[in-house]
Amino acid sequence: MAGFAVTIAAYRPGLLTFDSILQFGQSQRGLYWDHHPPVMAWTWGMTHRVIPGPLGMLLLQAALMWLGLLLFADGAARRGFRHGWIIVAIGFLPPVIGIEGEIWKDVQMAAALLFAAGVVYRASAGGKGIGGIAAVLSLIALFYATAVRANAPAATGPILVYWAHHVFRRLSWRASVLAGAAALTLLLGAQWIFDNTFLHVEHVYLSQFLEIHDIAAIQCAGGDASIPASKQRAAACARPLCEAFDPLQVDFLFAGPEAPLAATTDAQAIDALGREWRRAIAANPVLYLRHRLRVFGALLGEGVDDARRWVWIPSSIANVYGFTFAPNAITDAIGVGVGAALALGLYNGMLWLAAALAVLVAAARRMHRDRQSDAAALALSTSAITYTLPYFLVAVAPDYRYLYWTIIATAVGAVLSMLPARRISR
């Protein structure tokens, strides 16, 4: 309750960036497009009817986050582990609470995933399978987490395996992997039906931004690649491609009146772009890998200014809806913590990836003891790794929020694997 209260007091009514305002606008018009997750805009429309503005979404993500931590802490205590309260303290880490007030899909995904895993962990504390209510509740949260971000399935997959293993207790871990994969397929199918049949989503082909970024990187490095004419703006004020190109972020190629390129929803143009992207990679593999390594390194915090990673944004942009935010003493205190954490290197993605790998190895080695906390730590650390590593291929910006789930899952998994067992007197 203290952590929840601090979050709300620090960020009320919620921090809004351009992406947030765009999603809120879709929720009000009832017209959705998939540049951002339609399910989040739809959910925002529901919360707005009860609590107007961004406050409803802030309450939702803060409640899921702190309840998830509480469920893990209580589940550890019921398993006989001492100092379970340390799990709740994770929520006060600057890399966690620092952007918890942002109404972002990244925060919503992480909160829903943590809550879903926490429900399973707490419900299975008795050593038996979880009940039907817990199974359905966690699955609903897993559906939302899967639908709220385009690459979320990479994170939800391992958690679904953990879910399946406790819902169907007689399954081996190998069978649980198959059951988790089947569950993920069903969730993705349900998401497709919800988006296309219920919300009638307009598709904007997110792949074009990744493909453009890669092609531009190869072309501006002198490689054999070229942007199709259908993507180039004819405006006289448009800047030359390589002058506008930023190797770490694709936005500058499309944003602003002087941007050299324009997005398209024409299927034939998208197909032509895809063909040129594949050809350019095959013809220039070294330039492509060099570009991908640079973007991924920046995402992890290497070779990029921290201000560009958006590690701390205690403000809301001006908007037509009149939503504003005024920092207070609690917000300022969190900002001091963020500064200290930056100085200590706690925003470095390589550190957290290494920690996730260490937790995974340790938990896997102890799994033969059937220690349930090791199963949870294994699922969380695996999820952190499978979610982060694919960014090597798909990252188009160095934003810290891409690592938000990585840090939360790794921190909780690490504490679970280190909690000491209580001594039982004779």
Side-chain angles (χ1 to χ4, degrees):
M1 291 301 296
F4 177 79
V6 166
T7 301
I8 302 304
Y11 298 120
R12 189 174 188 271
L15 304 179
L16 302 173
T17 62
F18 177 78
D19 292 350
S20 314
I21 294 298
L22 204 60
Q23 288 181 279
F24 181 76
Q26 292 181 37
S27 76
Q28 298 308 291
R29 294 188 300 271
L31 300 174
Y32 305 95
W33 48 299
D34 60 1
H35 185 91
H36 297 292
V39 69
M40 180 175 168
W42 179 83
T43 302
W44 201 338
M46 297 297 103
T47 64
H48 180 69
R49 296 180 182 180
V50 182
I51 306 174
L55 181 57
M57 292 297 271
L58 176 64
L59 292 170
L60 173 64
Q61 62 194 39
L64 289 174
M65 184 75 71
W66 290 101
L67 279 172
L69 292 169
L70 174 62
L71 289 166
F72 271 109
D74 190 53
R78 290 174 180 270
R79 285 171 168 79
F81 295 107
R82 294 181 292 163
H83 312 309
W85 60 268
I86 297 177
I87 297 175
V88 179
I90 290 171
F92 291 101
L93 289 174
V96 177
I97 201 171
I99 66 168
E100 193 177 341
E102 303 285 351
I103 310 302
W104 277 341
K105 54 194 173 188
D106 312 81
V107 179
Q108 297 255 320
M109 184 201 78
L113 269 179
L114 184 67
F115 175 75
V119 168
V120 177
Y121 183 72
R122 168 61 182 82
S124 61
K128 300 179 181 179
I130 65 177
I133 294 177
V136 172
L137 182 61
S138 57
L139 191 62
I140 292 173
L142 284 166
F143 168 76
Y144 185 72
T146 303
V148 84
R149 188 166 175 80
N151 62 333
T156 55
I159 307 300
L160 275 166
V161 173
Y162 178 64
W163 173 86
H165 186 69
H166 286 87
V167 172
F168 310 106
R169 288 291 293 174
R170 295 185 179 181
L171 293 182
S172 65
W173 275 107
R174 290 185 179 180
S176 296
V177 170
L178 295 177
L184 180 59
T185 302
L186 291 175
L187 291 186
L188 291 173
Q191 177 193 347
W192 189 91
I193 293 172
F194 183 79
D195 287 351
N196 294 278
T197 303
F198 183 68
L199 298 183
H200 305 289
V201 169
E202 179 182 348
H203 300 285
V204 298
Y205 303 101
L206 282 175
S207 60
Q208 66 182 300
F209 300 101
L210 169 66
E211 292 168 354
I212 284 290
H213 199 213
D214 290 342
I215 294 174
I218 294 172
Q219 180 177 337
C220 294
D224 176 19
S226 62
I227 304 293
S230 60
K231 302 291 296 181
Q232 300 177 28
R233 296 178 66 229
C237 63
R239 298 168 61 192
L241 174 72
C242 295
E243 181 182 314
F245 173 70
D246 185 317
L248 304 184
Q249 194 158 355
V250 72
D251 296 20
F252 300 104
L253 294 176
F254 294 90
E258 297 182 354
L261 305 178
T264 182
T265 57
D266 180 79
Q268 291 184 344
I270 294 297
D271 289 342
L273 176 64
R275 289 193 296 270
E276 172 59 17
W277 176 66
R278 292 187 290 271
R279 189 203 66 79
I281 292 175
N284 308 271
V286 175
L287 292 179
Y288 168 73
L289 291 175
R290 185 184 301 166
H291 165 64
R292 285 284 102 213
L293 184 62
R294 185 174 183 181
V295 178
F296 186 60
L299 172 63
L300 298 180
E302 300 294 335
V304 62
D305 186 82
D306 289 324
R308 289 197 61 184
R309 299 181 66 207
W310 289 27
V311 300
W312 177 238
I313 320 172
S315 61
S316 287
I317 64 169
N319 57 87
V320 298
Y321 305 103
F323 301 141
T324 60
F325 170 77
N328 53 52
I330 300 177
T331 318
D332 294 340
I334 293 175
V336 172
V338 169
L342 277 169
L344 293 173
L346 295 183
Y347 283 86
N348 188 294
M350 288 299 297
L351 169 69
W352 291 101
L353 267 180
L357 181 60
V359 173
L360 185 151
V361 171
R365 292 180 62 182
R366 292 197 300 247
M367 279 294 293
H368 68 279
R369 303 176 186 175
D370 197 26
R371 188 171 179 243
Q372 293 181 13
S373 288
D374 287 329
L378 180 65
L380 289 167
S381 58
T382 302
S383 177
I385 294 170
T386 57
Y387 176 68
T388 307
L389 290 182
Y391 274 117
F392 179 86
L393 299 174
V394 301
V396 291
D399 296 0
Y400 161 70
R401 57 179 172 168
Y402 296 165
L403 298 178
Y404 195 56
W405 170 244
T406 306
I407 290 177
I408 293 173
T410 301
V412 174
V415 172
L416 284 177
S417 65
M418 293 188 295
L419 286 177
R422 295 183 185 274
R423 291 183 179 180
I424 302 176
S425 59
R426 293 184 180 276

